[in-house]
Amino acid sequence: MCVVSLNTQTAPKGSPGYSQCRRLLCTSAGLLLQMVTLHQLSVLLLLFSAGQESALISQDPMDQAPNFPVEMHYVKIGSPFTLNCEDPSADRGGRLEWRRNNTQQSENGQLSISSALQTHHGIYTCHFKDNEDVLRAVHLQPGYPPGTPVVHCRSNNYPEEAQCNWYLENETHIPTNFTATYRHGLFGEEQECLVTNMSCVIRGFALYSTHPYIFNVTAWNPLGRKEKLLQFVIEHIVKPDPPEDLMAWPSIEWKRQLDISWQPPHTWQHPILFPLKYQVQYSWSDGKASRTTGPYEVTGIKLKGLRPRTTYSISVSAKDILDNGEASDWSPTVTATTN
């Protein structure tokens, strides 16, 4: 006989009983470990099952991606529209309904709206009244067809390029795309202009041509399309950006005189081959009195005959030296005070 204890051994070491006790002790410890392990595993499985059930209960079905096809449907704001849904089985007696955000919108398979509003935007689903199966899903997007684009073309980097910009006077409320093309003369080859943010850049002009360039921009969406043609001669749309780095300071040599300097706009890439001329505008007495002088073909002048100890506000504009197009906007003003 062997008594297994954590603290004592009744069988002497080396005796047959001692070996029997060791085997019993190891067997008992193994069974105890298996029991603990199985208990822990049962607890973990129970916790995992509870967690899964809790997760399934708390999960919002609207957060899941739709597992049914959704049709896109565009309608003009103010127009009537109708959505139809057919019963694929006759045994239910046609008990259908349309829903939007799980809210009933009709009591049968037909949903009719007399005048579409922007607030009608959303996903509409057709169901049998007694279950959640989706028979048809429609993403309704009310909006407007595009109006005629308003287009403006300008060259601030003559003769390298011209940029054409456009906008729509009214919002369409639905995705609207634009394509742009241009050609030289009525019978020139039509070329695509890459559209970026409702603008595109045209390069490679024929200078002083007797044939105008024809620019065409088309706005289109599922409800309609409109296009705008604009003819221009490159020399007529020249408008430099304002001069840069304008500075003014009182003359060291003479009283009642200001020295002024500036630089051509950095966007005008060839100021030597295609020079600019400049006008200078200055004012005093809080802008109540002003004068404009020029044009100058240099980037620095002296303003003479000014009032002593008077603060002047000064700005400069630029124009193509051959009078092509129009003058730039006035540069930001700087101030200086005479001695």
Side-chain angles (χ1 to χ4, degrees):
M1 178 178 181
C2 174
V3 179
V4 179
S5 172
L6 294 177
N7 299 319
T8 61
Q9 295 178 343
T10 57
K13 185 177 181 179
S15 65
Y18 177 81
S19 299
Q20 182 181 6
C21 283
R22 289 192 62 181
R23 287 194 299 271
L24 288 174
L25 179 62
C26 293
T27 302
S28 300
L31 291 173
L32 180 61
L33 180 61
Q34 291 179 6
M35 290 174 64
V36 172
T37 303
L38 289 174
H39 175 70
Q40 291 176 340
L41 181 60
S42 300
V43 172
L44 289 174
L45 289 174
L46 180 61
L47 291 174
F48 179 76
S49 299
Q52 287 290 94
E53 182 179 2
S54 175
L56 290 174
I57 293 174
S58 63
Q59 189 172 15
D60 188 354
M62 298 301 293
D63 293 337
Q64 301 180 14
N67 56 357
F68 48 83
V70 179
E71 307 169 29
M72 299 298 297
H73 187 77
Y74 298 93
V75 59
K76 183 179 179 180
I77 294 176
S79 299
F81 71 91
T82 300
L83 298 179
N84 292 304
C85 183
E86 297 182 358
D87 185 353
S89 60
D91 58 342
R92 294 183 182 244
R95 294 182 292 112
L96 304 174
E97 66 180 10
W98 280 98
R99 303 175 192 170
R100 179 188 175 202
N101 298 333
N102 290 327
T103 302
Q104 185 184 51
Q105 302 293 313
S106 73
E107 295 183 354
N108 53 51
Q110 185 179 80
L111 173 63
S112 297
I113 302 294
S114 60
S115 180
L117 302 175
Q118 192 176 353
T119 54
H120 288 131
H121 176 274
I123 296 180
Y124 293 76
T125 53
C126 178
H127 308 259
F128 287 114
K129 293 183 179 181
D130 54 359
N131 65 38
E132 298 298 322
D133 293 341
V134 177
L135 302 179
R136 186 185 178 193
V138 176
H139 186 184
L140 185 68
Q141 294 198 46
Y144 294 103
T148 302
V150 179
V151 184
H152 174 72
C153 294
R154 170 197 170 200
S155 176
N156 66 344
N157 182 21
Y158 177 81
E160 291 294 325
E161 62 188 28
Q163 185 175 50
C164 292
N165 302 277
W166 59 88
Y167 64 91
L168 298 178
E169 292 184 312
N170 298 310
E171 176 63 48
T172 63
H173 301 293
I174 60 176
T176 300
N177 300 299
F178 300 90
T179 55
T181 60
Y182 66 94
R183 63 180 185 268
H184 184 205
L186 293 176
F187 306 103
E189 181 182 358
E190 187 174 72
Q191 302 184 58
E192 184 177 357
C193 192
L194 181 62
V195 174
T196 305
N197 297 326
M198 298 179 72
S199 69
C200 74
V201 176
I202 303 173
R203 297 182 175 88
F205 287 98
L207 303 184
Y208 297 101
S209 172
T210 58
H211 300 289
Y213 282 83
I214 301 175
F215 179 75
N216 179 19
V217 60
T218 302
W220 56 276
N221 64 27
L223 297 179
R225 59 190 293 131
K226 280 291 181 67
E227 66 178 6
K228 174 66 176 180
L229 291 174
L230 179 68
Q231 296 187 31
F232 65 84
V233 174
I234 180 62
E235 284 75 23
H236 295 174
I237 63 169
V238 174
K239 183 180 180 181
D241 289 328
E244 301 172 354
D245 300 329
L246 175 61
M247 295 185 295
W249 62 95
S251 175
I252 299 176
E253 301 173 354
W254 306 96
K255 294 183 178 180
R256 302 172 59 190
Q257 181 173 302
L258 295 176
D259 292 338
I260 305 171
S261 71
W262 61 87
Q263 293 297 323
H266 72 277
T267 50
W268 194 265
Q269 297 184 7
H270 304 290
I272 297 177
L273 294 177
F274 298 91
L276 296 171
K277 58 183 178 180
Y278 305 92
Q279 285 191 309
V280 177
Q281 179 177 267
Y282 59 98
S283 62
W284 63 97
S285 300
D286 296 329
K288 297 179 181 178
S290 65
R291 291 181 182 174
T292 301
T293 181
Y296 304 101
E297 297 180 10
V298 292
T299 56
I301 65 166
K302 295 180 181 293
L303 283 179
K304 301 178 181 179
L306 305 178
R307 298 184 177 191
R309 296 179 296 279
T310 302
T311 299
Y312 288 84
S313 297
I314 304 159
S315 58
V316 184
S317 72
K319 189 177 183 182
D320 176 72
I321 199 170
L322 297 180
D323 272 332
N324 290 320
E326 60 181 298
S328 73
D329 296 333
W330 291 101
S331 68
T333 60
V334 297
T335 58
T337 303
T338 56
N339 293 324

